């Protein structure tokens, strides 16, 4: 993989994107993807959607709308990898591998799960009433999303920071258990866009579907206008000075304006601009900023087959990374082909045989001897003395010829015999078990390798 920064984020496909989603997540992600040092993976988290929503039509509609929103917003799909989570079968597979190492205690602490339990307890229900395994395992699926592509940076909202931390935790555990020194997974970091993460809604609280205070993004100009007219303001009359710093209408304006436009609007508010007129200004600004994208959005929504093609293409790109990586992970945990396994065993043997070595040397009296050392350097055998090097060489050859070894136990050591003659002795071992292990090592070391 490259050493560029991999940025990855997903959006759960349960609703229609609103202005807050756009300003807080989609727009900054599109901008970030244009950095030449960034490798971006953006996806529709439609498996996550199933956890929260059991309405198939809504899921389907939302996937289409969110895909069109990314593209209408200017995402360049040749540059980034843009896909649907559910088109990548490696993700649920990885989820299982991670589930098997994720601590249950870790998941017990997940905010979303805990909140549901607390609510049940409060209302006197069974603590787990209505809680699915999907909700419980949500962070593991998210960890798989992130770890599958070894993301460095994960732009998310504050409520998701804990999940990114859990991904680190789970990934680290997998690395530790199966990596054998190799770090399979990169440790991801949550990236919070401080400036935009808190786009206010109509009532001034965070813009969110669950507060029913959103401004629609691409539906139609009229709907956007209607929503803006419902922005809550204070009761200062036209002509009275407004306080821009305590007005979420101004905050919304600022999120889409150039600094110069924002300054101008600020002085107009200070100068007594009426709220009705102020809402008009906000609408004009948003319509200018988003009108063209809105048109592109509606064109895209009307060509679902084109969107399908784009996403299939994205899935192909994503799987070009995911498939080989998952194969590596399967190997690591022991889900290996039997065919490969035989080869693995054979290579191990070959290595052992290769690694075990004869070291010959000459004694002061001119005779020749050799030692047989195991792979780890342990001495398995010290030969008797031979008159010349040639004889010693012949003995080592014969020992490796594959003929049955004549090994005789001598209390805590053993000797090796060839044609009725003792040719070598082992050192003394601590106990019979150590002696027997050494005999076994000797046999492995002397077994000829069959290719
Ligand atoms: N859980 C995220 C949310 O609701 C969506 C999501 C799923 C995600 N998988 C992810 C975000 C991986 C970042 C990375 O906002």
């Amino acid at each position: 993989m490259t050493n560029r920064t991999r940025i990855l984020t997903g959006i759960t496909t349960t609703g229609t994107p609103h202005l807050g989603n756009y300003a807080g997540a989609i727009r900054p992600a599109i901008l970030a993807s244009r950095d030449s040092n960034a490798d971006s993976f953006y996806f529709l988290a439609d498996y996550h959607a199933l956890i929260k929503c059991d309405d198939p039509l809504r899921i389907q509609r939302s996937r289409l709308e969110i895909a069109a929103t990314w593209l209408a917003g200017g995402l360049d799909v040749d540059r980034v990898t843009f896909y649907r989570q559910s088109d990548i079968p490696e993700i649920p597979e990885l989820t299982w591998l991670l589930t098997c190492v994720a601590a249950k205690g870790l998941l017990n602490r997940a905010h979303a799960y805990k909140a549901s339990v607390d609510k049940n307890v409060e209302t006197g229900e069974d603590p787990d009433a209505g809680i699915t395994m999907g909700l419980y395992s949500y962070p593991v699926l998210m960890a798989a999303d992130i770890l599958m592509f070894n993301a460095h940076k994960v732009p998310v909202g504050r409520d998701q920071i804990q999940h990114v931390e859990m991904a680190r935790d789970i990934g680290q555990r997998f690395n530790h258990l199966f990596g054998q020194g190799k770090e399979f997974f990169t440790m991801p970091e949550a990236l919070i866009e401080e400036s935009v993460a808190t786009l206010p809604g109509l009532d001034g609280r965070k813009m969110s579907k669950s507060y029913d205070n959103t401004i629609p993004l691409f539906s139609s100009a009229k709907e956007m206008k209607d929503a803006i007219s419902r922005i809550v303001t204070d009761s200062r009359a036209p002509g009275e000075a407004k306080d821009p710093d305590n007005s979420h209408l101004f905050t919304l304006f600022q999120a889409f304006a150039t600094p110069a436009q924002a300054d101008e609007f600020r002085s107009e508010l200070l100068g007594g601009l009426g709220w009705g007129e102020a809402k008009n200004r906000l609408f004009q600004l948003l319509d200018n900023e988003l009108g063209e994208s809105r048109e592109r959005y509606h064109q895209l929504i009307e060509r679902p087959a084109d969107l399908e093609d784009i996403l299939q293409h994205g899935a192909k790109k994503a799987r070009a990374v995911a498939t080989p990586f998952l194969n590596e992970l399967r190997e690591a945990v022991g889900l290996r082909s039997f065919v490969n396994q035989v080869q693995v065993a054979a290579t191990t043997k070959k290595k052992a045989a290769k690694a075990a070595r004869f070291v010959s040397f000459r004694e002061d009296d001119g005779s020749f001897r050799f030692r047989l050392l195991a792979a780890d350097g342990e001495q398995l055998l010290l030969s008797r003395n031979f008159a010349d090097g040639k004889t010693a060489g012949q003995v080592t050859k014969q020992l490796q010829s594959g003929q049955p070894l004549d090994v005789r136990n001598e209390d805590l050591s053993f000797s090796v015999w060839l044609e009725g003659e003792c040719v070598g002795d082992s050192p003394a071992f601590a106990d019979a078990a150590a002696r027997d292990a050494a005999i076994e090592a000797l046999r492995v070391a002397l077994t000829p390798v069959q290719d």
Side-chain angles (χ1 to χ4, degrees), residues 217-407:
L217 178 62
F218 291 144
S219 51
S220 71
K222 180 172 182 316
E223 281 179 66
M224 183 179 267
K225 198 168 202 158
D226 287 349
I228 290 173
S229 73
R230 284 184 278 118
I231 292 177
V232 179
T233 61
D234 62 29
S235 52
R236 288 180 215 189
E240 271 183 82
K242 311 293 185 296
D243 177 5
D245 296 316
N246 281 307
S247 155
H248 53 277
L249 191 151
F250 183 70
T251 310
L252 284 164
F253 189 94
Q254 229 176 352
F256 289 88
T258 63
Q261 287 172 317
D263 279 349
E264 192 192 336
F265 193 46
R266 169 189 290 277
S267 13
E268 284 184 307
L269 288 169
L270 288 171
L273 187 74
W275 285 124
E277 197 43 45
K279 288 178 178 178
N280 258 339
R281 301 276 159 94
L282 176 61
F283 172 73
Q284 282 310 330
L285 174 80
L286 292 178
D287 199 49
N288 272 341
E289 286 298 308
L290 300 169
E292 243 175 71
S293 303
R294 184 196 297 134
E295 216 157 286
R296 272 203 298 275
Y297 174 86
H298 287 288
Q299 284 166 4
L300 286 160
I301 289 279
E302 276 151 33
R303 299 200 317 265
D306 291 359
L307 282 172
E308 182 68 30
D309 278 353
I310 290 170
L311 288 162
Q312 291 296 343
H313 177 72
K316 219 171 173 178
K317 261 163 80 176
R319 294 193 72 197
V321 178
T323 309
F325 189 36
L326 188 75
N327 283 341
E328 223 182 297
L329 300 173
R330 291 175 59 102
E331 284 277 325
V333 299
L335 304 177
R336 303 167 187 164
S337 152
F338 287 162
V339 175
N340 290 341
Q341 188 150 348
V342 171
Q343 281 164 1
V344 168
T347 7
T348 312
K349 213 170 194 181
K350 198 177 202 163
K351 273 197 200 128
K354 230 194 213 152
R357 56 196 196 278
F358 290 95
V359 181
S360 31
F361 60 97
R362 206 162 171 188
E363 290 283 27
D364 288 340
D365 67 0
S367 65
F368 288 82
R369 300 180 79 175
F370 61 82
R371 298 178 208 278
L372 174 60
L373 305 178
D376 61 4
E378 188 201 3
Q379 180 170 314
L380 297 172
L381 200 70
L382 173 64
S383 79
R384 295 281 165 100
N385 304 63
F386 300 101
D388 51 60
K390 195 173 162 202
T391 316
Q394 275 164 354
V395 170
T396 61
K397 262 214 190 84
Q398 256 177 297
L399 287 174
Q400 295 173 90
S401 68
Q403 70 185 71
L405 277 180
D406 183 356
V407 178

Side-chain angles (χ1 to χ4, degrees), residues 35-306:
D35 184 329
S36 60
N37 255 325
D39 223 342
S40 305
F41 293 80
Y42 298 153
F43 67 98
L44 309 178
D46 48 2
Y47 277 140
H48 277 103
L50 299 182
I51 294 168
K52 303 183 183 165
C53 173
D54 58 10
D55 175 354
L57 290 177
R58 169 129 164 246
I59 299 264
Q60 174 65 338
R61 181 82 203 152
S62 172
R63 290 157 98 226
L64 191 71
E65 289 174 343
I66 294 178
T69 301
W70 278 103
L71 298 172
L75 187 72
D76 178 351
V77 293
D78 289 328
R79 184 170 195 128
V80 309
T81 306
F82 180 57
Y83 55 98
R84 282 181 296 220
Q85 184 185 32
S86 66
D87 284 333
I88 316 298
E90 288 81 2
I91 289 174
E93 261 191 87
L94 177 56
T95 301
W96 184 250
L97 301 191
L98 298 178
T99 299
C100 294
V101 303
K104 178 169 178 285
L106 179 77
L107 297 174
N108 286 341
R109 291 195 289 277
H111 300 320
Y113 166 70
K114 264 189 9 195
S116 302
V117 171
D118 289 350
K119 209 163 156 195
N120 280 334
V121 171
E122 240 169 64
T123 54
E125 294 266 7
D126 180 275
D128 278 329
I131 298 177
T132 63
M133 281 306 294
L135 175 68
Y136 190 70
S137 305
Y138 183 109
V140 190
L141 177 58
M142 184 155 157
D145 290 332
I146 296 170
L147 299 174
M148 182 90 262
F149 298 101
N150 275 315
H152 298 110
K153 304 272 178 204
V154 183
V156 282
R158 297 200 165 280
D159 59 324
Q160 300 292 317
I161 296 176
Q162 187 194 33
H163 294 151
V164 180
E165 281 164 3
M166 287 183 167
R168 295 169 68 93
D169 203 303
I170 298 168
Q172 205 155 32
R173 186 137 172 184
F174 189 99
N175 281 346
H176 177 71
L177 284 171
F178 301 110
Q180 298 194 301
K182 179 176 167 163
E183 303 277 297
F184 280 118
F185 296 126
T186 304
M187 290 300 112
E189 262 176 56
L191 197 70
I192 308 292
E193 278 268 352
E194 294 295 346
S195 57
V196 288
T198 48
L199 198 69
L202 301 177
D203 56 359
R205 291 185 293 174
K206 176 183 185 245
M207 190 182 293
S208 161
K209 204 174 52 188
S210 38
Y211 294 150
D212 195 21
N213 65 355
T214 62
I215 297 176
L217 178 62
F218 291 144
S219 51
S220 71
K222 180 172 182 316
E223 281 179 66
M224 183 179 267
K225 198 168 202 158
D226 287 349
I228 290 173
S229 73
R230 284 184 278 118
I231 292 177
V232 179
T233 61
D234 62 29
S235 52
R236 288 180 215 189
E240 271 183 82
K242 311 293 185 296
D243 177 5
D245 296 316
N246 281 307
S247 155
H248 53 277
L249 191 151
F250 183 70
T251 310
L252 284 164
F253 189 94
Q254 229 176 352
F256 289 88
T258 63
Q261 287 172 317
D263 279 349
E264 192 192 336
F265 193 46
R266 169 189 290 277
S267 13
E268 284 184 307
L269 288 169
L270 288 171
L273 187 74
W275 285 124
E277 197 43 45
K279 288 178 178 178
N280 258 339
R281 301 276 159 94
L282 176 61
F283 172 73
Q284 282 310 330
L285 174 80
L286 292 178
D287 199 49
N288 272 341
E289 286 298 308
L290 300 169
E292 243 175 71
S293 303
R294 184 196 297 134
E295 216 157 286
R296 272 203 298 275
Y297 174 86
H298 287 288
Q299 284 166 4
L300 286 160
I301 289 279
E302 276 151 33
R303 299 200 317 265
D306 291 359

